[in-house]
Amino acid sequence: MRGRPFLTAVAALALVFLLGPILLVVAIAFSSGDTVEFPPPGLSGKWFTKALAYQPFQDALATSAMVAAGATLLALLVGIPAALAIQRRRFRGRKAAEALFLSPAIVPELVLGFALFQQLMVTLRITALGALLIGHTVLLLPYAVRVTGASLAMADPALEEAGRGLGAGPLRTFFHITLPVMMPGIVSAAVLSFLTSFNNVPLSLLLNGPGVTTLPVQMLNYVEFSFDPVVAAVSTLLLAATVVVALVTERLVGFNKVFGK
């Protein structure tokens, strides 16, 4: 931005605004003090050790991983056929169906969570784990439909028509032509869905129950009564894991292949 000092200053302020809180949390995570303070009095890794050894965090981590993996799988099982129908078929109500699948991304999560709580846990008496799994699946449907649909929209339908013209049946055409074309979108949708579910707070806060708590909610409960940097250490570990997953996915698949950039 040579010759544009104003734009350079705005960009620098934006970076500070976006990265400042993250760097602050990382610095606190390595603090040697006994309470949250900045700048830290010294550097230490003791809070990472305490965070990894804290049993409620371990249990919540297992719950978050199980719910995120299950919800991602269910969302893809529903979203891939839906994306195929929306992108490759012309039927009455197609736009309404697309809007229905994308609506969880528009409705505020607290409203969605309260509605699911009333329907699943109060009316149907579904357990907290089941409610979390269903609720997160609903939340992830827009990712499954939108991202896989974007990958499919860039593919040439003539490839599938050529396969059918050469005698391939619908299933063979799907597995040998359509699915490989959709694979970058499927992988990207899976990664985005898993990370969204794993880090979710509003929906999980309303659908958790006794003995069934996700890691972000457990972290929120922890900071209500403790003021040490343990949660900062957990946040730093989650941030590092997210960055690694995003870099590996970009290296293996490439988000640009999905969004056509």
Side-chain angles (χ1 to χ4, degrees):
M1 295 185 180
R2 187 177 301 174
R4 299 181 178 180
F6 177 75
L7 293 178
T8 302
V10 170
L13 288 175
L15 286 175
V16 171
F17 179 79
L18 294 174
L19 299 180
I22 297 176
L23 297 177
L24 183 66
V25 170
V26 173
I28 293 173
F30 287 95
S31 173
S32 62
D34 294 329
T35 59
V36 175
E37 55 181 313
F38 186 84
L43 297 179
S44 173
K46 63 179 181 179
W47 299 115
F48 292 94
T49 303
K50 183 176 179 180
L52 293 173
Y54 189 56
Q55 188 61 43
F57 284 164
Q58 295 178 10
D59 297 338
L61 175 63
T63 300
S64 289
M66 181 169 56
V67 170
T72 298
L73 179 60
L74 290 175
L76 289 175
L77 289 176
V78 176
I80 292 174
L84 276 170
I86 291 170
Q87 293 294 332
R88 290 291 188 261
R89 298 289 183 269
R90 295 295 180 265
F91 56 92
R92 183 177 299 178
R94 185 173 66 91
K95 291 295 184 182
E98 183 178 12
L100 178 64
F101 279 107
L102 299 181
S103 61
I106 301 173
V107 179
E109 287 188 33
L110 285 175
V111 176
L112 180 63
F114 183 73
L116 290 171
F117 170 78
Q118 288 289 333
Q119 185 65 32
L120 299 177
M121 303 184 75
V122 176
T123 303
L124 300 178
R125 302 291 182 181
I126 295 177
T127 63
L129 185 60
L132 277 171
L133 187 59
I134 296 173
H136 280 229
T137 300
V138 173
L139 181 68
L140 301 181
L141 281 176
Y143 295 94
V145 174
R146 175 65 65 84
V147 179
T148 56
S151 180
L152 188 61
M154 293 188 303
D156 189 355
L159 295 174
E160 299 164 44
E161 295 174 2
R164 289 192 294 268
L166 293 173
L171 286 178
R172 189 170 185 180
T173 301
F174 173 76
F175 283 108
H176 288 273
I177 299 176
T178 309
L179 189 60
V181 168
M182 295 178 67
M183 192 54 65
I186 293 173
V187 174
S188 300
V191 172
L192 292 173
S193 297
F194 185 89
L195 294 178
T196 299
S197 174
F198 192 92
N199 294 311
N200 179 268
V201 174
L203 199 67
S204 301
L205 191 62
L206 290 166
L207 299 179
N208 73 96
V212 181
T213 305
T214 60
L215 184 57
V217 175
Q218 186 62 51
M219 293 166 62
L220 186 63
N221 294 335
Y222 186 90
V223 297
E224 290 183 10
F225 306 102
S226 302
F227 302 97
D228 55 44
V230 166
V231 170
V234 177
S235 301
T236 301
L237 291 174
L238 293 178
L239 174 64
T242 301
V243 171
V244 170
V245 170
L247 290 176
V248 171
T249 305
E250 172 62 25
R251 184 64 180 252
L252 295 178
V253 178
F255 291 113
N256 290 339
K257 294 181 180 179
V258 179
F259 300 105
K261 295 180 181 179

